[in-house]
Amino acid sequence: GQQLNQSPQSMFIQEGEDVSMNCTSSSIFNTWLWYKQDPGEGPVLLIALYKAGELTSNGRLTAQFGITRKDSFLNISASIPSDVGIYFCAGLPNYGGSQGNLIFGKGTKLSVKP
Amino acid sequence: DTAVSQTPKYLVTQMGNDKSIKCEQNLGHDTMYWYKQDSKKFLKIMFSYNNKELIINETVPNRFSPKSPDKAHLNLHINSLELGDSAVYFCASSRLENIQYFGAGTRLSVL
């Protein structure tokens, strides 16, 4: 079935560093979403992207919808300890169909050392 | 106000039992979902349901069945629980634009 390749799988960084993660697909997506999951909680939407080339920020987070519509990246600037968690990309493929076709990447686990 | 709420948060049960997890959303969304998150944190969709159709991931055993008493609720029933069913189960909901909002999860442990 359809898959998203999300990388890196995990990151260990120092507080204050910038973080970058991305998702790629072999096929075109109409929408890219980035979620964050805190330990013991459900995924929470961070940023939604709807158009190729779109660059959207949410505080220290910036995400872009790739021009080819096959990729997206998420950057976090000046990381802080509460950025710890698992970040998921998710995409809505371009082949239409019914609800529930949102496809998730396997997540990037972020650890921040104070 | 919790937008998508699931109960219980924790569920510990014996193999072979039948259990249910409840989900309610107060967002006015028309589609609800169930996901399973395994120990590696992979999110796998199990069902999506609106008032028109139920879409089942073909890999989900028929021991799992969603039941929707109304648009705001989608409960998950599991029969004859097995050890491999231990996981975190997430409910989610969306409008047509498909941004899904998740509940906090139900941690199921089958002993």
Side-chain angles (χ1 to χ4, degrees), chain B residues 7-99:
Chain B
T7 53
K9 188 162 174 112
Y10 299 93
L11 182 55
V12 181
T13 188
Q14 298 284 334
M15 221 166 40
N17 284 350
D18 302 339
K19 289 293 178 186
S20 295
I21 307 172
K22 294 187 177 180
C23 179
E24 176 182 5
Q25 54 95 5
N26 62 8
L27 297 167
H29 289 166
D30 46 30
T31 305
M32 297 183 72
Y33 312 83
W34 278 104
Y35 285 83
K36 180 180 180 181
Q37 186 175 47
D38 61 22
S39 56
K40 292 184 181 175
K41 306 299 182 186
F42 300 157
L43 276 166
K44 180 190 273 190
I45 190 160
M46 301 175 70
F47 304 100
S48 70
Y49 180 78
N50 60 28
N51 58 6
K52 293 176 189 173
E53 68 182 318
L54 169 68
I55 300 173
I56 303 170
N57 184 323
E58 60 191 13
T59 65
V60 174
N62 58 14
R63 298 180 295 103
F64 291 79
S65 57
K67 299 257 189 326
S68 179
D70 56 57
K71 215 169 109 168
H73 296 83
L74 185 68
N75 304 325
L76 182 65
H77 296 272
I78 316 169
N79 294 328
S80 303
L81 277 154
E82 300 178 359
L83 293 176
D85 297 333
S86 296
V88 183
Y89 292 84
F90 288 103
C91 177
S93 72
S94 76
R95 276 210 177 95
L96 293 175
E97 57 265 35
N98 218 10
I99 292 180

Side-chain angles (χ1 to χ4, degrees), chain A residues 9 31 33 35 37 39-45 48 50 86 88 92 98-102 104-106, chain B residues 9 31 33 35 37 41-43 45 48 50 53 55 90 94-96 98-104 107:
Chain A
Q9 190 174 357
T31 301
L33 307 173
Y35 287 86
Q37 185 178 15
E41 298 296 329
V44 174
L45 183 70
Y50 299 102
I86 302 176
F88 290 98
L92 181 60
S98 305
Q99 295 280 342
N101 279 340
L102 198 61
F104 281 84
K106 293 185 176 177
Chain B
K9 188 162 174 112
T31 305
Y33 312 83
Y35 285 83
Q37 186 175 47
K41 306 299 182 186
F42 300 157
L43 276 166
I45 190 160
S48 70
N50 60 28
E53 68 182 318
I55 300 173
F90 288 103
S94 76
R95 276 210 177 95
L96 293 175
N98 218 10
I99 292 180
Q100 295 179 19
Y101 296 87
F102 285 79
R107 283 133 195 89

